[in-house]
Amino acid sequence: MALTHHIIFVALLVISVRAVSSAAKLEPKQTVPTSPAISTAAKAFTDAHNKARAMVGVSPLVWSQTLEAAASRLARYQRNQKKCEFASLNPGKYGANQLWAKGLVAVTPSLAVETWVKEKPFYNYKSDTCAVNHTCGVYKQVVWRNSKELGCAQATCTKESTVLTICFYNPPGNIIGQKPY
């Protein structure tokens, strides 16, 4: 019986060594900065931002629970005290974007970020200006090269049929005299 156990143990040891050796031969895959497990919404916000950033060659953002908590506090305050009105974001410790949408059942994280990124065609990188009747600051904050962290939150005001989305960025972007990338 003892001999059988040793043979089985040796066989398992050989299988384990072969599995480790095979795994070591695998080609490495591209990795994305990791952080603690994040919610589906947080991942969607991060992915949408990083898609826009990749298009201009800027490094990806990582999700910050600290920024998420700050955005959540402000979004809840705007919902509970201000009926989802636009929040006063300036001056602030962080860079910020917000989206106010009326009459929508839901605003996905992707839709919020895509709305900000839609200003890209109106941004002139060479002169660092925006076309008349457009605001490119929200786009520029999404792709600001020095911003490294992101945290967002949403609030829904059912009675007013509005959704407020707020994202914070650290360090902040939109610094006068500097281009975003």
Side-chain angles (χ1 to χ4, degrees), residues 75 77-87 98-101 155-158 160 162-164:
Y77 174 79
Q78 292 303 116
R79 179 193 63 211
N80 297 340
Q81 304 297 321
K82 301 291 186 176
K83 299 180 182 179
C84 286
E85 291 177 5
F86 252 50
Q98 66 181 314
L99 176 69
W100 183 86
T156 301
C157 291
T158 308
E160 292 79 12
T162 59
V163 177
L164 181 64

Side-chain angles (χ1 to χ4, degrees), residues 12-76:
L12 288 174
L13 184 59
V14 169
I15 292 169
S16 297
V17 169
R18 284 189 179 159
V20 170
S21 297
S22 298
K25 293 176 185 175
L26 293 176
E27 293 294 320
K29 294 183 180 180
Q30 183 180 5
T31 59
V32 178
T34 58
S35 58
I38 60 175
S39 70
T40 303
K43 182 173 178 359
F45 274 117
T46 306
D47 289 349
H49 276 82
N50 288 338
K51 179 180 175 184
R53 293 171 70 84
M55 292 178 71
V56 295
V58 178
S59 62
L61 294 169
V62 296
W63 189 258
S64 164
Q65 293 178 339
T66 300
L67 296 179
E68 176 186 25
S72 181
R73 279 190 302 276
L74 181 56
R76 283 193 321 265

